[in-house]
Amino acid sequence: MNFVVEPSALKSGTASIPGDKSISHRALMLAAIAEGQTRISGFLSGSDCLATLAALRQLGVHIERPSANEVVVDGSGLAGLQAPTAVLDMGNSGTAMRLFAGLLSGQAFSSELAGDRSLSGRPMNRIIKPLSIMGAHLRSAEGFPPLIIDGQNLHGIVYAMPVASAQVKSAILLAGLYADGEVVIVGQQVTRDHTERMMRAMGIVINSGESQIIMQGGQSLTACDVKVPADLSSAAFVILATLLSADAEVDIKDVGVNPTRTGVIDILRDMGADIGVQNVRMFGEEPVADLTVRASKLHGIDVDPARVSLAIDEFPLLFIAAACATGKTRFSGIAELRVKESDRIAVMAEGLRALSVAVDETEDGAVVHGGQLYGGNVDSHGDHRVAMSFAVAATVAKWAVHIGDTDSVDTSFPDFIGCLRSLGVNIVSEEQARDEEA
Ligand code: S3P
């Protein structure tokens, strides 16, 4: 599928944003090994989380879906998973693959994890190394998927994280549930802490501070209902579209505002954005709020590298904010973007240049020169966040923008087109555009 987006006048209104991807994965996995039944509401029914759901069914977990966004999981307990009879397909999801690697390392059976072309190019040594220290046996294609995991008895670990990664941290914690001894993780940068919060909600004693997490292995989980907040990473596309508009004001309800995720709000505010955060409350262990976003004039800034891990998935969109701001915006300390669903620094630079924006790329960042966006063709390289970022850019471009290879949007925001259209954005799939012309 390809998107065609025409310059659009955004309307004021309320946007409906799907559930948080990270929390939906964790709710499924932790519910699967908990004692008792978990009802998950607000679940993200996107292809990444559905890959996790299908894999858990292959591991013998009984899961029902009363509706698209509701899932009921009968927990199998820590020792209740069964050997799969086929390869577990993680699709496009790095989170699913890395978290499952942790979960499956301590099982009494072997399993194999594989993924699509993009996932097959993503580094796995970052989890293989700590899990191996814990006693796990993992084989890979020289550090890349597929992963073959021969379940073992695991032991504790004291691990200093070489990269800021919530996926690595979570893989270690999931393996830690099966370990004898203590798990201690030390990291310099704060990363999203949904795993720690949900484990705590399910009765695990886990001690987490700014730079250290300590958990005793062998603890079991007790099922509890999970209400998934709207995903701030998906809301971010509507936030920027509103900021760039002439005069729109858009409300977004029940958005996750966990402080390990809100870097995008802080960075956009530094650029001049008017984003109101009201009615902060808790969905279980996760803070949520209602946002009110108003059209704003953005200006270039030097983005603080200390904020990178708190906005790690929003940099494609922040490149667009920078392109539409006055002056220069400097990004540094974002080398991790090169090993996401695509090389997001290179792919964003290429796409922005195609729309006539000047970008100077560096090894671990870029300088984006704000200015007028023209029209043209952009290749998303099968990266959902790149595709959606350019759709937002197109609303303020001079001419139409064609965005290629956009099927991946279904991984995190299945009704992205419907959501933008409800706010007056003239976006269609190329197939739809052809039908409308015929
Ligand atoms: C995620 C962690 C981040 C993020 C990804 C989701 C998670 O990855 O980019 O989209 O759910 O744990 P890293 O752990 O590689 O930074």
Side-chain angles (χ1 to χ4, degrees), residues 19-306:
D20 188 280
K21 181 153 73 69
S22 293
I23 297 176
S24 295
H25 278 299
R26 286 156 173 81
L28 287 173
M29 287 188 198
L30 292 177
I33 54 167
E35 306 284 343
Q37 191 178 71
T38 297
R39 182 173 286 270
I40 306 169
S41 55
F43 173 75
L44 170 63
S45 184
S47 51
D48 272 14
C49 299
L50 293 175
T52 289
L53 192 151
L56 289 170
R57 281 185 171 148
Q58 281 179 263
L59 293 162
V61 183
H62 183 252
I63 304 178
E64 284 191 9
R65 293 185 69 195
S67 67
N69 305 117
E70 256 186 309
V71 182
V72 180
V73 182
D74 288 331
S76 302
L78 272 186
L81 298 181
Q82 289 159 23
T85 52
V87 173
L88 302 171
D89 183 1
M90 305 286 107
N92 188 246
S93 179
T95 305
M97 180 162 292
R98 296 193 178 116
L99 270 58
F100 265 119
L103 178 60
L104 294 172
S105 285
Q107 304 298 328
F109 53 78
S110 298
S111 47
E112 180 170 347
L113 303 174
D116 69 7
R117 203 154 65 94
S118 152
L119 182 52
S120 301
R122 297 186 65 188
M124 292 296 145
N125 279 337
R126 54 182 60 198
I127 48 150
I128 293 174
K129 189 169 168 222
L131 293 174
S132 302
I133 295 172
M134 296 176 80
H137 280 191
L138 289 105
R139 282 170 282 153
S140 68
E142 293 180 9
F144 294 92
L147 293 179
I148 298 171
I149 304 165
D150 298 317
Q152 302 291 324
N153 291 328
L154 303 179
H155 44 80
I157 185 173
V158 178
Y159 194 64
M161 299 268 289
V163 282
S165 167
Q167 293 175 355
V168 175
K169 174 177 69 175
S170 302
I172 298 170
L173 289 173
L174 284 162
L177 293 174
Y178 292 87
D180 282 335
E182 198 173 63
V183 170
V184 180
I185 305 171
V186 186
Q188 292 101 28
Q189 272 186 297
V190 177
T191 57
R192 65 189 67 192
D193 64 355
H194 306 302
T195 304
E196 298 91 304
R197 285 173 189 255
M198 201 175 293
M199 282 185 167
R200 214 170 275 130
M202 293 191 174
I204 299 283
V205 178
I206 179 166
N207 188 329
S208 57
E210 272 279 290
S211 57
Q212 183 167 287
I213 300 169
I214 304 175
M215 183 187 80
Q216 192 60 42
Q219 299 183 61
S220 57
L221 303 139
T222 308
C224 74
D225 289 351
V226 177
K227 201 167 161 189
V228 182
D231 197 327
L232 177 58
S233 295
S234 298
F237 299 104
V238 172
I239 293 174
L240 184 61
T242 309
L243 295 173
L244 298 180
S245 71
D247 54 7
E249 177 174 318
V250 173
D251 291 313
I252 315 173
K253 306 275 185 223
D254 300 340
V255 184
V257 288
N258 178 319
T260 61
R261 296 284 299 278
T262 47
V264 63
I265 295 178
D266 297 326
I267 295 168
L268 287 170
R269 280 180 173 161
D270 285 351
M271 298 177 80
D274 181 352
I275 304 171
V277 177
Q278 302 87 227
N279 195 15
V280 179
R281 61 216 186 269
M282 300 299 279
F283 277 10
E285 293 280 324
E286 291 285 347
V288 296
D290 300 331
L291 309 185
T292 303
V293 189
R294 294 179 196 88
S296 307
K297 293 266 169 286
L298 301 183
H299 55 81
I301 57 167
D302 287 358
V303 176
D304 182 355

